[in-house]
Amino acid sequence: MPKNGQTQQFDKAAFQAAVEKHLTTTYASTADTATARSWYLAMGKALAEISTGNLLATEKNLAEQKARSVNYLSLEFLIGRLTGNNLISMGLYENVADAMEEMGQNLTDLLEEERDPALGNGGLGRLAACFMDSLAAQEYPAVGYGLHYEYGLFRQSFVDGRQVEAPDAWRGLEGYPWEVLRPELNQEVSLYGHVEAYTDENGVECRRWVPGMTVEGVAWDLPIVGYDNKSVYPLRLWECRSNAPFSLSRFNDGDYVGAQYSALEAGNVTKVLYPNDNHEQGKALRLMQQYFHCACSVADILRRHEAAGNSIESLSELETIQLNDTHPTIAIPELMRILLDEYKLGWDKAWEISSKTFAYTNHTLLPEALETWSEALIQQMLPRHMEIIFEINHRFMKLVEQTWPGNNEVKRKLSIIQEGPQRMVRMANLCVVSTYAVNGVAALHSELVKRDLFPEFNELFPGRLTNVTNGVTPRRWIKYCNPGLSTLISEKVGDDWPANLEKIAGLEKFADDEAFQKRYMAVKKENKQRLADWVQENMGIELDTDAIFDIQIKRLHEYKRQHLNLLNILALYHRLLNDPTFDMHPRVFFFGAKAAPGYALAKDIIFAINKVAEKVNNDPRLGGKLKVVFIPDYRVSLAEILFPAADVSEQISTAGKEASGTGNMKFAMNGALTIGTMDGANVEMREEVGDENIFIFGLLVDEVLKLKQEGYDPYRYYHADSLLRAALDLLETDEFTPGNPGQLAAIRHNLLDGGDPYLVLADFADYVKTQEKIDAEYRDQKTWARKAILNTALMSKFSSDRSIRDYANNIWKLEPVSL
Ligand code: GLG
């Protein structure tokens, strides 16, 4: 139980009175008639009163101390439900459970009333959420800046096995109890228009943006509550509202109706999160979202800086801005514009400040995810920013010319502007040129960023490209989601491990202790039962918790290779039915994944897994040995049930494609053994746990590259491997779609005739062999328990507290400030 948190401030009677007051005055209910939802909302409001007080106190303290802080800019924060987690951080979980019990309410049930704020797609957004948690836990001064989407990531359901998307109105009708409106922080944001030259009062030639219209940015703060301390940092989410009269020029032209139409359009800016993961879309509205986010955030950073009495020249000493991927890159020309056109600093001074303020995190090497924006679009929406980008590039090209005189090829490659029929702005190049640090998210990934993505930049700016390996917060991903394991850990290593995950290494010496093994496995069994109960209740599928629970949960993407997993399932199915000598330990394969609505093959893979599930789950010939469960609407709150229940964690991306992964870390902490490729953070996890405690298979990065260079032929594998052939050919039949052969053929076609871009077939045999090894090892429960315990014990490196300390020490140069 946290000792230094907000516990001492807790006054039960006052808290109960606040809940009752909100029940009646905010939600118009009475204690005897209120629904569970109203109770949850009233309780949330009462708790938010405590956190808001501390948020204001933290803000004041940091301003007074002139503390250096980080501003984490991200288009996504996949925070998940806040109530349970905040109760833990506040140290109030038991107190509030008790207070609510006295009011006739069960806390666990009330927590289920909260809808997940799903303001992100996947790993990138969830990382931002873990980072905010770790900043607050360690009291590194920080503000998170994001967007207040009206609709988060779509809700997924399956209709006859196919994904159907529905809007996610995460705030409900009543609004989200933890959010607080900050009207005094509102910003005005300009768009469109043109640039004009003018001579200022000192006779200096200047340029300025004459916008075509403006919109209003409204600030909502969500509290990020520091674990076991009093600090509360804001996650500041901007909502776009259109202010009337709207289009300045059209209104003045007398086009009143037209002006109102634009208002409708701009009212859409923060309506919905773009549902693409690792894929850019290039839509004008998305660029508008990005700029709106950056304009509000940069203006707010400058407001804070000045309100604390600091000069603009000292900006980079007191503030650093971390760009989570290239999505907020337009913040760079925005700050430059303000420094040049409003502060009138002159290019060199403005550049010095700006380039010492920004740092950038790269999350992917996939070409389809590297953002480019058409010059024409930027020119139209943000004409002054386009000028500034050109100027940055012009000066940068001079540097390239000095370094590689006369080498036009290298210029073409490095230029921020990509030439072609449509000139495009390469956002990653703009970032590398304009920041003081660029990091990848795992050791392997960062090496590939240097070696393959930006080798010349690495030469040009030695030391700028670095690594910070990702991490996850042990508060949500062990303590909150796995109370059974948490109790066991605390008993052995003391109860301060959630804030000091190094302590968890103390479990290592119990790995061979039989009594401990039994208790550890009993906790695993309880967690498997909790998941089985959920599946029974929500999907009507009965599961045996003696089976191996094998789980792959992540976005649906070819590079993540859910279809490799599927092919192994098909191979098992084939062998169970055709090979009388074949035996396997019962296994349940779980999937959870959303596909981007426009990603046809990803949706085909979901359909195929669902169809295979339907068949195998009801086929008496399989004797219950094989089950497949595709959990619909995978989200943070379901992840909290899935990670603790896993025996096997699937991390099977094509080597070189998964920058880091973070689910891999959550599984291992909770005692699942990984089957994985030498990709992303799997490589470092193997280093930590040792090769005996992880199941590595498949081609290495350079083997992948070599095979592709030599000319990869998927048919070679198809013809050489009868099991692979059997699995693939099942997709052509109507085995899983009775009466409709060929409904699953798209996957087979993509792998054989489509060239198998992610080398699924090349890794198939080794994958199957490694799964067999897992099957054999699981049968020896003592050895399995030992390995699982060691996985928990040896994961301390992957706490996001460590990641944040790496950023703070090596990049941001931040010091903690306690309240
Ligand atoms: C990316 C990558 C993941 C990475 C995550 C956080 O694909 O490998 O773990 O960011 O850095 N789009 C993502 O989820």
Side-chain angles (χ1 to χ4, degrees), residues 258-375:
Q260 300 305 309
Y261 271 109
S262 315
L264 293 179
E265 244 172 62
N268 286 336
V269 171
T270 52
K271 247 244 154 34
V272 60
L273 167 77
Y274 276 90
N276 303 314
D277 185 77
N278 265 305
H279 201 288
E280 66 145 348
Q281 188 143 0
K283 287 267 187 290
L285 185 61
R286 167 74 174 178
L287 179 66
M288 208 184 276
Q289 284 188 341
Q290 295 185 348
Y291 177 64
F292 172 78
H293 169 244
C294 292
C296 291
S297 307
V298 168
D300 193 60
I301 293 164
L302 293 173
R303 177 196 58 78
R304 272 178 22 232
H305 183 72
E306 299 208 316
N310 304 304
S311 73
I312 192 67
E313 285 77 13
S314 68
L315 185 69
S316 67
E317 285 147 43
L318 289 166
E319 301 291 342
T320 186
I321 302 178
Q322 187 68 33
L323 305 175
N324 195 28
D325 212 308
T326 57
H327 314 152
T329 302
I330 203 76
I332 297 169
E334 171 67 0
L335 179 63
M336 283 297 287
R337 181 189 67 81
I338 296 171
L339 298 179
L340 292 167
D341 299 357
E342 294 176 14
Y343 287 92
K344 304 272 170 71
L345 284 187
W347 187 275
D348 290 342
K349 188 71 205 165
W351 182 251
E352 188 195 325
I353 295 172
S354 175
S355 57
K356 283 184 184 158
T357 299
F358 288 104
Y360 153 62
T361 304
N362 172 283
H363 294 268
T364 185
L365 304 169
L366 298 182
E368 64 270 29
L370 295 177
E371 286 187 297
T372 60
W373 285 106
S374 101
E375 180 196 312

Side-chain angles (χ1 to χ4, degrees), residues 399-408 410-411:
L399 179 66
V400 175
E401 171 61 26
Q402 277 167 26
T403 317
W404 294 281
N407 188 337
N408 286 331
V410 78
K411 268 191 215 130

Side-chain angles (χ1 to χ4, degrees), residues 468-482:
V468 179
T469 298
N470 282 168
V472 302
T473 171
R475 271 78 63 184
R476 184 178 291 265
W477 297 115
I478 305 178
K479 188 176 164 72
Y480 176 63
C481 74
N482 199 341

Side-chain angles (χ1 to χ4, degrees), residues 724-738:
L724 172 60
R725 206 157 57 237
L728 277 167
D729 288 349
L730 273 169
L731 293 171
E732 286 281 355
T733 67
D734 75 342
E735 185 92 4
F736 307 104
T737 53

Side-chain angles (χ1 to χ4, degrees), residues 121-125 127 277-278 324-325 361-364 366 441 470 555 559-560 657-665 680:
N121 275 290
L124 174 148
L127 186 77
D277 185 77
N278 265 305
N324 195 28
D325 212 308
T361 304
N362 172 283
H363 294 268
T364 185
L366 298 182
V441 290
N470 282 168
R555 285 299 289 255
Y559 85 80
K560 295 177 188 283
K657 301 295 179 191
E658 188 71 273
S660 163
T662 43
N664 45 3
M665 303 164 185

Side-chain angles (χ1 to χ4, degrees), residues 620-668:
R621 297 173 301 169
L622 300 175
K625 295 225 157 157
L626 185 57
K627 297 265 163 159
V628 178
V629 177
F630 205 131
I631 307 271
D633 203 32
Y634 174 58
R635 57 192 183 274
V636 172
S637 57
L638 286 179
E640 289 161 2
I641 302 175
L642 284 153
F643 285 117
D647 295 307
V648 174
S649 155
E650 298 274 349
Q651 308 301 332
I652 59 177
S653 51
T654 316
K657 301 295 179 191
E658 188 71 273
S660 163
T662 43
N664 45 3
M665 303 164 185
K666 296 167 196 166
F667 274 118

